[in-house]
Amino acid sequence: RQGFRVLAPDQRGYNRSSAPAAVSAYAITNLVRDVIALLDALDIPQVNLAGHDWGAAVAWHTALQHPDRVRRLAIANVPHPAVMRRFLRHSPRQMLKSWYIFFFQIPGLAEFLLEARDFNLAVRSLQRSGLPGTFAPDELERYRQSWKTAGGLRGMIHWYRAALRYPPPEPADPVLRMPVLILWGKRDIALHSAMAEASMAYCPQGRLVAFDDASHWVMRDRPAEVNRELSEHFGM
């Protein structure tokens, strides 16, 4: 209705996209190639790129590696890669919040526990990461069905494994010069909001919009405000 053409792909390992068995298939360089390949296949020279969570990580790296392909960038609740690296190395508080990343490195165990009893723990983890009402019961059931379609959670967990085993090379220039919008739910239980503020140092044309009463799932908790911010940012 706003006049945009929207592409919303299932990334590899998710829903109906393929889920390669090798951890290396989920290296961030491959995930960025997926984005560029999609744009090339549709003959799109430049795009307004938005991402949340792992999608945001891919969006950051796509903009860093292919700045000519990204007109404007919008990120929800994931910091700039350089900020993420720094906080994981030097912030005990963030290390504690990110405990699950290290748990996911154990082959097979994470899949077994999260998929047991019809993905009961995975559903509970989603609920715990949000606010009351962030996920409706019918939406959680759709998540269950999506995980089954994807053949379980292995592909999704491989994203975390690849992040540690196959980290991307640090860019020669970590500064993003296109306009960047960062949306952040400050009640994120996994990512400290200080990382959102620190990310602005890498975005000279950046703008941060924080929501005190939103969780990690900011676009679900504050959909009208997030949609308005995205429409204004991309419509400029």
Side-chain angles (χ1 to χ4, degrees), residues 189-201:
I189 66 171
L191 297 168
H192 197 290
S193 60
M195 294 197 292
E197 298 158 8
S199 297
M200 298 303 291

Side-chain angles (χ1 to χ4, degrees), residues 63-126:
L64 285 167
Q65 296 177 29
H66 301 274
D68 58 313
R69 305 299 297 271
V70 180
R71 175 179 175 268
R72 287 174 172 261
L73 180 67
I75 298 291
N77 272 75
V78 164
H80 185 285
V83 174
M84 188 69 179
R85 284 192 298 269
R86 186 168 77 245
F87 272 69
L88 282 176
R89 292 170 181 168
H90 303 294
S91 170
R93 185 174 181 183
Q94 185 56 51
M95 292 178 195
L96 186 61
K97 284 176 173 285
S98 300
W99 66 269
Y100 60 93
I101 297 176
F102 305 101
F103 166 67
F104 284 163
Q105 304 305 311
I106 305 173
L109 180 60
E111 292 94 324
F112 174 76
L113 294 176
L114 288 167
E115 294 174 10
R117 298 173 59 195
D118 196 24
F119 301 94
N120 181 60
L121 182 57
V123 167
R124 285 168 51 199
S125 297
L126 272 182

Side-chain angles (χ1 to χ4, degrees), residues 25 61 66 71 78 112 149 156 158 160 166 190 198 200 212 227:
H61 283 282
H66 301 274
R71 175 179 175 268
V78 164
F112 174 76
T149 299
M156 301 169 217
H158 275 0
Y160 294 92
Y166 306 99
M200 298 303 291
D212 292 334
N227 284 344

Side-chain angles (χ1 to χ4, degrees), residues 4-47:
F4 296 102
R5 179 189 186 188
V6 180
L7 308 176
D10 292 332
Q11 296 186 102
R12 59 173 68 191
Y14 287 86
N15 203 31
R16 289 178 289 179
S17 284
S18 59
V23 174
S24 59
Y26 300 86
I28 198 74
T29 50
N30 291 327
L31 306 172
V32 168
R33 288 191 191 106
D34 287 345
V35 176
I36 299 303
L38 177 61
L39 298 180
D40 288 345
L42 296 173
D43 196 24
I44 299 173
Q46 197 174 52
V47 71

Side-chain angles (χ1 to χ4, degrees), residues 150-231:
L153 301 179
R154 183 187 64 183
M156 301 169 217
I157 294 172
H158 275 0
W159 282 62
Y160 294 92
R161 292 170 177 153
L164 293 189
R165 299 182 199 179
Y166 306 99
E170 295 188 18
D173 183 3
V175 175
L176 292 169
R177 291 177 172 78
M178 74 284 292
V180 179
L181 171 66
I182 299 178
L183 304 168
W184 200 279
K186 296 184 73 172
R187 295 177 66 178
D188 193 318
I189 66 171
L191 297 168
H192 197 290
S193 60
M195 294 197 292
E197 298 158 8
S199 297
M200 298 303 291
Y202 296 91
C203 306
Q205 292 195 73
R207 186 166 66 93
L208 171 61
V209 180
F211 300 90
D212 292 334
D213 58 348
S215 71
H216 177 72
W217 309 96
V218 59
M219 66 285 186
R220 287 179 165 272
D221 296 332
R222 300 291 294 272
E225 293 91 335
V226 167
N227 284 344
R228 183 178 65 248
E229 292 290 347
L230 291 174
S231 294

